[in-house]
Amino acid sequence: MNREQITELIFSVLSEYDIRKQQEEWQLEIPVEASARHVHLTEEAIHILFGEGASLTVDRPLSQPGQFLSKERVTLVTQKGKIDQVAVLGPTRPAVQVELSNTDCRQLGIQAPVRLSGDLTGAASVYLVGPKGMMEARESAIVAQAHIHFPPEEAKRAGIQDKEEVSVTIESERKITLERVICRISSQSGLAMHIDLDEANACLLPKNGIGKIKIKERSKKSRQNSRKESQKEPPKEVLVTEGSLPYLVGGRLVTEAAARQLAADAGKELRISDEIILTPSAKDVLHHAGVNVLRQGGKFV
């Protein structure tokens, strides 16, 4: 590669740099919380495990409005293992759901699928043991997929769609990027990203951890719009006739290939707008073709 070609390549990269930089600069920051193993229970399950007429006792509220950690605990049991003192979250749910990390699944000797909360398709089965009874929770255990809870106003501001998948970089001593993080939009949500303990340990999640979504990852529509904008900037140069002379408008960079076409179309004199950049090889092509190039003020290039 000769000097002119290298210079032309540099100009080409610089012409796109501003657009790419703008696409990547803006980031949405999300608080990240580690979600330890826990269960959600139905009213029937609460009565079986804690006694007829029992209800969950609030220990402390959680970040999601209306949800709370209860004082009640259960034991998870399988043929290959057990885990004691598993937290119960309230309020009640339509179905029993057990949310575990993959490490928990190994301890219990089960294979639970990665699912969004509420999707129990192919979920593993475990036994739940409480102080007053036990029950088999068929197809209840999942490994919760990393997800972000969005209030509608925050989602709208960020251009996020419900169930959209995004990539999130978690800032920490061991920074990682999680792919296929699901966005969940609800008027009952508080802005927060939830990951399990395996994921939290992998990135050494600090207290008050923060995840960042780049603007170009926000939504399919936004990405399409960004691609359209990048295609528009710089716009394609257009050769028009003003008076009796050809006049090159639009565009930002004229390369050697474009200059060869211009040399064939422009005649002996070509005027160009001030924002247009001619690479050295483009200038050589036009010069050797006998084309005089002038800026808008009449200055020869």
Side-chain angles (χ1 to χ4, degrees), residues 39 106 167 175 192 199 225 231 240:
V39 302
R106 289 195 185 97
S167 299
K175 184 167 74 171
E199 293 162 330
N225 289 340
Q231 289 168 358
V240 299

Side-chain angles (χ1 to χ4, degrees), residues 29-244:
E29 294 191 349
I30 306 289
V32 181
E33 301 172 348
S35 181
R37 69 179 78 98
H38 61 270
V39 302
H40 299 279
L41 300 175
T42 62
E43 285 191 19
E44 180 184 6
I46 291 173
H47 297 162
I48 293 172
L49 298 171
F50 302 105
E52 191 65 33
S55 60
L56 297 179
T57 308
V58 177
D59 185 5
R60 61 177 174 82
L62 300 175
S63 64
Q64 297 307 300
Q67 298 190 28
F68 60 89
L69 171 67
S70 77
K71 293 182 179 179
E72 285 71 30
R73 297 290 184 273
V74 296
T75 298
L76 304 182
V77 180
T78 67
Q79 291 181 342
K80 296 185 178 181
K82 73 171 185 173
I83 300 176
D84 295 313
Q85 294 296 306
V86 177
V88 179
L89 303 189
T92 57
R93 293 279 186 96
V96 174
Q97 180 172 291
V98 180
E99 296 187 33
L100 305 169
S101 70
N102 202 47
T103 299
D104 296 330
C105 292
R106 289 195 185 97
Q107 184 174 341
L108 293 172
I110 60 174
Q111 290 186 335
V114 177
R115 295 279 187 269
L116 270 182
S117 179
D119 180 3
L120 300 179
T121 306
S125 299
V126 297
Y127 284 90
L128 305 181
V129 180
K132 298 295 184 180
M134 67 176 293
M135 62 175 289
E136 183 181 12
R138 290 181 176 273
E139 297 185 344
S140 63
I142 62 172
V143 175
Q145 185 163 357
H147 57 278
I148 304 172
H149 293 283
F150 274 97
E153 61 275 13
E154 292 285 351
K156 184 177 180 180
R157 187 178 300 118
I160 294 292
Q161 304 295 318
D162 190 38
K163 302 295 177 64
E164 180 185 344
E165 295 184 1
V166 296
S167 299
V168 182
T169 298
I170 299 177
E171 300 291 340
S172 67
E173 184 179 346
R174 186 187 288 165
K175 184 167 74 171
I176 66 170
T177 297
L178 294 178
E179 306 288 344
R180 300 190 64 191
V181 179
I182 304 297
C183 298
R184 310 196 73 175
I185 301 173
S186 170
S187 58
Q188 305 300 312
S189 292
L191 183 63
M193 176 177 174
H194 287 167
I195 60 177
D196 67 26
L197 287 186
D198 284 350
E199 293 162 330
N201 289 334
C203 68
L204 300 179
L205 182 69
K207 185 177 181 180
N208 302 319
I210 294 294
K212 293 183 178 180
I213 306 174
K214 286 184 178 179
I215 187 173
K216 67 177 183 179
E217 298 293 343
R218 289 185 305 168
S219 67
K220 183 177 181 181
K221 184 176 181 180
S222 296
R223 289 194 294 273
Q224 289 172 340
N225 289 340
S226 294
R227 283 196 295 270
K228 288 178 181 178
E229 290 302 316
S230 66
Q231 289 168 358
K232 292 177 183 177
E233 291 290 343
K236 184 176 177 60
E237 62 275 353
V238 178
L239 190 63
V240 299
T241 300
E242 187 175 274
S244 59

Side-chain angles (χ1 to χ4, degrees), residues 282-297:
K283 290 180 183 179
D284 288 342
V285 168
L286 293 170
H287 174 73
H288 290 303
V291 179
N292 294 319
V293 182
L294 298 88
R295 291 287 182 186
Q296 284 174 312

Side-chain angles (χ1 to χ4, degrees), residues 7-8 11-12 14-15 237 248 250-256 258 272-280 282-283 295 301:
T7 304
E8 186 167 339
F11 271 108
S12 179
L14 288 176
S15 70
E237 62 275 353
L248 189 66
R252 289 178 61 183
L253 182 73
V254 176
T255 62
E256 180 179 354
I272 64 175
S273 55
D274 289 337
E275 69 271 16
I276 289 178
I277 299 171
L278 293 176
T279 65
K283 290 180 183 179
R295 291 287 182 186
V301 176

Side-chain angles (χ1 to χ4, degrees), residues 8-25:
E8 186 167 339
L9 179 60
I10 292 172
F11 271 108
S12 179
V13 171
L14 288 176
S15 70
E16 298 180 5
Y17 176 76
D18 288 339
I19 300 165
R20 293 178 179 174
K21 189 172 185 293
Q22 289 171 7
Q23 290 175 349
E24 296 177 355
E25 272 183 349

